[in-house]
Amino acid sequence: MIHSFMEEAIQLSLEKSLAGEGGPFGAVIVRDDTIIGRGWNQVLINNDPTCHAEMVAIRDACRTLNDYSLKGCSIYISCEPCPMCLSAIYWAGIDKIYYAATRKDAANLGFADDFIYQEISRPLSQRKIPMKQCLQKKALAVFSNWEQLENKIIY
């Protein structure tokens, strides 16, 4: 079964990238041996840098289940996930990741995945995009208000 789900992800990456929708990336999300979400890179067609295959597949699977949690699911990806997609996979609660090509393979094509992984490990002061903290107390006041809510859901 693992190979058939990966074949589906790779086939999506091939078909949709050749159609000009985005880069050569595809993903499927599986629960109980059934595909519940499909995604392919739609960055170019949607003019949205967050429309990576994994993000699209996560959105599709969440709509299918009508739930933000994908616990009990596995994701099959044609390439190792970028940091954004890896974070989304963790946020979604996906149990297992299967991937084909590596982030180094993607870097060889000019994609920035590996560069971003390196950036994340650098101290804030050494990153390419400067970061400056401001208005922490105001933000913490909002946190404090939310913390007092009786109906809050921590996800």
Side-chain angles (χ1 to χ4, degrees):
M1 290 299 266
I2 291 172
H3 290 268
S4 65
F5 296 134
M6 186 60 77
E7 288 282 350
E8 173 81 10
I10 292 170
Q11 186 62 33
L12 282 169
S13 74
L14 174 64
E15 288 175 15
K16 301 302 183 173
S17 66
L18 293 179
E21 294 190 14
F25 306 102
V28 296
I29 297 177
V30 174
R31 178 182 271 173
D32 299 326
D33 294 327
T34 301
I35 295 175
I36 61 163
R38 287 180 171 78
W40 54 91
N41 188 285
Q42 298 178 23
V43 168
L44 300 178
I45 197 166
N46 288 318
N47 292 316
D48 182 344
T50 68
C51 281
H52 289 196
E54 299 92 329
M55 303 296 280
V56 174
I58 287 169
R59 291 172 186 141
D60 189 37
C62 288
R63 276 191 302 272
T64 297
L65 297 178
N66 195 31
D67 197 343
Y68 64 86
S69 174
L70 297 178
K71 291 199 181 304
C73 296
S74 297
I75 188 166
Y76 296 78
I77 317 165
S78 64
C79 186
E80 181 181 1
C82 75
M84 174 185 68
C85 294
L86 181 61
S87 296
I89 289 166
Y90 274 98
W91 281 115
I94 293 172
D95 294 347
K96 192 153 193 175
I97 301 169
Y98 297 92
Y99 66 94
T102 69
R103 65 185 189 222
K104 300 282 187 193
D105 297 326
N108 289 339
L109 294 174
F111 290 97
D113 305 34
D114 194 50
F115 165 75
I116 297 170
Y117 270 106
Q118 292 172 28
E119 275 289 287
I120 289 171
S121 67
R122 291 188 174 108
L124 297 180
S125 63
Q126 294 178 13
R127 291 186 184 169
K128 183 177 178 181
I129 299 174
M131 293 178 69
K132 179 157 177 55
Q133 185 179 22
C134 58
L135 299 179
Q136 180 184 21
K137 286 182 182 178
K138 284 196 174 215
L140 291 177
V142 175
F143 280 15
S144 180
N145 288 334
W146 183 84
E147 187 176 36
Q148 303 306 314
L149 294 175
E150 290 182 21
N151 63 343
K152 67 181 172 280
I153 297 172
I154 298 177
Y155 48 90

